[in-house]
């Protein structure tokens, strides 16, 4: 059993408190979803539970974490660079119990996850696998070890739709407790029976953590109802307070006027007015004391807000993309000159401000295709395109601060970017942290601001929602759905696909196959 008592976590650099006096007991059958905005300490909490040394470089803590002999299976948000250099076989055989599994057990596990049994013994480096394939290999290694509790940091990232559905069933049916972070709202809705919500209030100076025995939908709906009720009660009490204060003000003004008008030859009336004023002041003091315990207006951490693409505009008849490719190949690997063919006969035509999404199984070449499309569109002069890669480090200079990256160095530009970052819930300190110290979600916000401030009218987005919190993602979807330019994206996020995209294609070995009802041409 995992028990946490009076845990407080502080960030070493700015000494910001991430979690304060936190208590938790995880029991058999618990499916605990950790939610909260980016940079609030969710991943740090998982690291401290699994191995405190993993967070020692940037965080310190006090309190008690009792593990009681638990054998944790930990899935990190990002695979360490050293592990990426290992082959699939080397990575899996580093698990102590790998050789205890017979071929039948390994085959059953691979079938569930959707990964070829033969590839377990492959010399493929993990670094060349797709994002979803990396997650699958890590899950196989975790499950081979037969843990007594799972700690999963974004297990749904980059998984294809089929494997996402498997992951949902796995979490639901898992006989051991699962403590996990996910930004996939559908997965949260279908799996969580307990919510741990980490918030940072008052410009990230006041941490708050709520632990609720509830599914995700019930928690969010109940939280909204509670806040609405509290806000209504607080509003009613403040209006009553204001009315009474106005009444006292009028009485005091009347008495003061009478005191000023009374003649010095009438000391009796002056004394009476003085007593009246004392009584009014006494009533006011009593009233103030009664309202000391007024219902407070609800405090909650708002999801980020930003304008987006206000200047973007694509004419209905404008041909954004007319693309054909005979064969989509993965770059040569394994020290050979071979270029494995992933798909043939690819054709994609986009006209006007369409919002296109490309789906497909892990490893089918979606990211490779996006890079090819980006290379062509970024060179065009008749449109202005911008690319958000799945791996932000392809574009982000990690040693720079967010302000340095986004601004041109002028005082006006720096001031403007600070304002934009503030709207994205960055603190003043976080704006000056090197980007390598920021969370994946914070880097995603910086990428979003980069796209916005570049004034583009065509967006290429590879898994745009993968690192945003489930509380931020509805805002992201509304912003992108209202974007008046064209969007070409890769995503497995079911809510993103449903709410943002009007053309959906599946990448298969036979090319791109339209999976949504065809929409008439805009021309």
């Amino acid at each position: 059993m995992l028990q946490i008592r009076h845990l407080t976590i502080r960030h070493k650099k700015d000494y910001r408190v991430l979690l304060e006096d936190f208590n938790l007991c995880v029991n058999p059958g618990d499916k605990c979803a950790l939610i909260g905005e980016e940079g609030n300490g969710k991943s740090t909490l998982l690291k401290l539970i699994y191995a405190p040394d993993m967070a020692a470089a940037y965080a310190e803590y006090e309190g008690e974490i009792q593990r009681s002999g638990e054998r944790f299976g930990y899935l990190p948000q990002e695979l360490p660079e050293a592990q990426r250099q290992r082959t699939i076989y080397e990575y899996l055989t580093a698990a102590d119990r790998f050789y205890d599994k017979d071929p039948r057990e390994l085959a059953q596990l691979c079938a569930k996850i959707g990964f070829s049994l033969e590839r377990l013994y492959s010399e493929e480096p993990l670094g060349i696998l797709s994002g979803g394939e990396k997650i699958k290999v890590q899950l196989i290694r975790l499950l081979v070890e037969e843990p007594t509790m799972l700690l999963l940091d974004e297990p749904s990232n980059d998984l294809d739709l089929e494997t996402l559905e498997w992951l949902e069933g796995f979490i639901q049916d898992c006989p051991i407790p699962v403590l996990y972070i996910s930004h996939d709202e559908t997965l949260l809705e279908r799996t969580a029976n307990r919510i741990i919500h980490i918030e940072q209030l008052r410009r990230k100076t006041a941490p708050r953590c709520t632990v609720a025995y509830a599914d995700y939908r019930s928690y969010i709906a109940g939280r909204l109802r509670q806040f609405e009720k509290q806000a209504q009660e607080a509003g009613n009490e403040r209006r009553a307070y204001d009315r009474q204060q106005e009444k006292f003000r009028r009485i005091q003004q009347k008495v003061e006027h009478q005191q000023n008008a009374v003649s010095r030859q009438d000391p009796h009336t002056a004394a009476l007015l003085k007593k009246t004023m004392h009584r009014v002041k006494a009533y006011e003091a009593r009233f103030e004391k009664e309202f000391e315990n007024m219902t407070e207006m609800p405090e909650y951490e708002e999801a980020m807000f930003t304008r987006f693409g206000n200047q973007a505009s694509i004419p209905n008849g404008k041909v954004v993309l007319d693309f054909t490719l005979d064969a989509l190949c993965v770059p040569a690997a394994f020290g050979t000159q071979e270029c494995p063919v992933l798909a043939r006969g690819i054709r994609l035509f986009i006209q006007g401000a369409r919002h296109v999404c490309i789906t497909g199984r892990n490893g089918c070449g979606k990211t490779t295709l996006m890079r090819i499309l980006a290379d062509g569109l970024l060179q065009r002069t008749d449109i202005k395109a911008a690319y958000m890669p799945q791996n932000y480090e392809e574009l982000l200079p990690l040693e720079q601060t967010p302000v340095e990256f986004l601004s041109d160095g002028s005082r006006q530009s720096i001031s403007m970017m600070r304002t934009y970052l503030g709207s994205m819930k960055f603190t003043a300190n976080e704006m000056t942290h090197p980007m390598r110290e920021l969370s994946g979600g914070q880097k995603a916000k910086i990428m979003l601001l980069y796209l916005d401030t570049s004034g583009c009218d065509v967006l290429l987005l590879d898994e745009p929602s993968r690192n945003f919190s489930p509380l931020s993602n509805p805002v992201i979807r509304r912003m992108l759905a209202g974007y008046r330019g064209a969007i070409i994206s890769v995503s497995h996020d079911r809510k993103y696909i449903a709410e943002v995209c009007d053309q959906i294609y599946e990448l298969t070995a036979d090319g791109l196959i339209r999976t949504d009802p065809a929409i008439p041409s805009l021309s």
Side-chain angles (χ1 to χ4, degrees):
M1 179 184 296
L2 171 67
Q3 285 189 317
I4 300 175
R5 295 190 179 96
H6 308 295
L7 180 67
T8 295
I9 306 173
R10 293 182 181 86
H11 198 287
K12 283 185 176 179
K13 184 163 186 176
D14 53 27
Y15 216 60
R16 177 165 61 93
V17 178
L18 301 174
L19 206 60
E20 188 170 40
D21 198 26
F22 173 64
N23 297 280
L24 179 70
C25 179
V26 179
N27 300 306
D30 280 350
K31 309 298 186 294
C32 304
L34 262 170
I35 66 171
E37 291 301 311
E38 298 80 9
N40 279 6
K42 303 183 298 297
S43 296
T44 301
L45 177 59
L46 284 192
K47 290 175 183 177
L48 288 177
I49 293 172
Y50 179 67
D53 288 348
M54 293 177 64
Y58 66 91
E60 60 186 20
Y61 76 99
E62 57 190 45
E64 188 177 2
I65 303 175
Q66 288 189 347
R67 299 168 180 83
S68 302
E70 292 281 3
R71 187 168 62 252
F72 294 112
Y74 172 69
L75 178 76
Q77 187 177 122
E78 297 290 344
L79 189 65
E81 182 60 36
Q83 300 283 28
R84 296 180 194 179
Q85 307 304 319
R86 307 178 88 174
T87 67
I88 295 175
Y89 180 70
E90 289 172 340
Y91 177 76
L92 291 174
T93 53
D96 294 337
R97 297 170 182 254
F98 182 82
Y99 291 111
D100 295 338
K101 300 294 180 182
D102 60 45
R104 180 180 59 83
E105 291 175 307
L106 292 174
Q108 289 175 344
L109 182 55
C110 287
K112 283 182 179 179
I113 293 185
F115 197 81
S116 168
L117 176 64
E118 290 74 21
R119 292 183 74 188
L120 299 190
Y121 306 93
S122 167
E123 294 301 310
E124 299 173 69
L126 287 174
I128 72 164
L129 302 183
S130 71
E133 288 176 319
K134 289 188 184 81
I135 295 289
K136 290 180 179 182
V137 173
Q138 291 177 85
L139 284 173
I140 289 171
R141 174 167 162 170
L142 285 186
L143 298 176
V144 161
E145 292 279 24
E146 298 181 356
T148 59
M149 182 180 295
L150 289 176
L151 307 174
L152 309 178
D153 195 347
E154 291 295 346
S156 54
N157 268 3
D158 308 321
L159 295 183
D160 57 39
L161 296 176
E162 184 178 336
T163 310
L164 271 174
E165 291 176 355
W166 169 83
L167 180 63
E168 289 169 359
F170 170 77
I171 293 176
Q172 288 169 345
D173 301 333
C174 189
I176 62 176
V178 185
L179 181 58
Y180 63 104
I181 302 168
S182 179
H183 296 159
D184 189 308
E185 293 162 77
T186 305
L187 182 136
L188 290 172
E189 291 170 355
R190 295 179 179 178
T191 58
N193 60 19
R194 198 173 179 188
I195 303 296
I196 303 168
H197 187 179
I198 300 176
E199 297 178 272
Q200 292 280 309
L201 309 175
R202 302 172 200 165
R203 297 183 179 271
K204 296 192 176 182
T205 61
R208 179 173 72 189
C209 187
T210 304
V211 180
Y213 279 98
D215 62 83
Y216 182 72
R217 278 185 180 172
S218 298
Y219 172 72
I220 295 298
R223 169 183 162 88
L224 181 60
R225 285 194 302 270
Q226 177 187 343
F227 284 162
E228 287 175 345
K229 180 181 178 183
Q230 185 179 342
Q232 185 177 29
E233 290 176 354
N236 290 338
E237 291 178 13
R238 276 159 178 74
R239 283 189 289 274
Y241 175 83
D242 291 341
R243 285 194 300 269
Q244 191 62 45
Q245 286 290 87
E246 177 62 20
K247 182 178 178 180
F248 284 132
R249 187 182 64 80
R250 289 199 303 269
I251 293 173
Q252 287 181 29
Q253 286 178 344
K254 182 179 179 181
V255 174
E256 286 173 356
H257 177 73
Q258 291 173 340
Q259 284 179 320
N260 292 332
V262 71
S263 169
R264 292 185 178 179
Q265 282 72 37
D266 190 3
H268 177 70
T269 302
L272 289 176
L273 289 172
K274 188 174 182 180
K275 287 182 180 180
T276 301
M277 180 62 80
H278 280 310
R279 284 199 300 271
V280 172
K281 292 287 188 183
Y283 286 145
E284 185 177 17
R286 191 183 310 163
F287 175 76
E288 289 283 356
K289 190 170 183 63
E290 289 176 0
F291 271 82
E292 283 179 356
N293 297 319
M294 267 197 304
T295 302
E296 295 287 342
M297 291 299 288
E299 284 191 296
Y300 54 93
E301 184 178 25
E302 295 180 356
M304 59 168 218
F305 171 79
T306 182
R307 63 184 181 83
F308 192 81
N310 288 346
Q311 307 303 317
S313 180
I314 289 284
N316 288 343
K318 175 69 176 178
V319 175
V320 174
L321 186 68
D322 189 358
F323 177 80
T324 58
L325 186 66
D326 292 335
L328 177 66
C329 300
V330 69
F334 324 131
T336 71
Q337 297 302 312
E338 295 182 9
C339 182
V341 176
L342 300 173
R344 296 185 184 277
I346 293 176
R347 174 87 169 92
L348 184 58
F349 180 82
I350 300 173
Q351 182 178 354
R354 292 300 191 197
H355 293 179
V356 176
C357 184
I358 299 171
T359 68
R361 294 177 65 89
N362 290 134
C364 70
K366 300 184 297 298
T367 293
T368 301
L369 177 59
M370 280 292 287
R371 288 192 178 116
I372 294 172
L373 295 178
D375 286 342
L377 288 170
L378 291 172
Q379 296 178 31
R380 293 259 297 270
T381 57
D382 58 325
I383 59 174
K384 186 165 185 180
Y387 175 44
M388 180 178 182
Q390 189 179 120
N391 180 10
Y392 310 134
E393 296 181 13
E394 292 179 23
L395 286 182
L396 294 181
L398 297 184
E399 296 307 314
Q400 285 189 6
T401 69
V403 171
E404 289 171 342
F405 173 67
L406 293 169
S407 72
D408 61 13
S410 68
R411 180 177 299 180
Q412 182 178 3
S413 175
I414 290 172
S415 177
M416 184 181 299
M417 291 309 152
R418 284 182 174 276
T419 300
Y420 289 164
L421 287 164
S423 75
M424 289 285 202
K425 307 305 175 187
F426 281 78
T427 66
N429 282 327
E430 288 169 337
M431 295 178 196
T432 57
H433 282 185
M435 287 188 284
R436 59 179 167 74
E437 297 181 5
L438 302 178
S439 70
Q442 289 173 310
K443 292 173 187 172
K445 287 181 175 181
I446 293 168
M447 284 299 309
L448 200 66
L449 275 176
Y450 168 74
L451 298 182
D452 183 29
T453 55
S454 62
C456 52
D457 45 28
V458 178
L459 299 178
L460 296 109
L461 311 175
D462 195 348
E463 296 287 356
S465 62
R466 67 191 295 264
N467 278 313
F468 291 111
S469 80
L471 304 172
S472 288
N473 260 322
V475 181
I476 296 293
R477 293 196 298 271
R478 287 195 297 272
M479 285 165 29
L480 292 177
Y483 179 66
R484 291 176 293 179
I487 297 176
I488 306 169
S489 57
V490 167
S491 183
H492 300 130
D493 184 331
R494 289 154 285 188
K495 289 186 181 290
Y496 170 86
I497 294 170
E499 296 176 21
V500 177
C501 305
D502 52 38
Q503 288 185 2
I504 304 165
Y505 295 87
E506 181 181 1
L507 181 58
T508 71
D510 298 319
L512 289 168
I513 298 175
R514 186 80 173 265
T515 60
D516 66 289
I519 300 172
S521 172
L522 291 170
S523 60

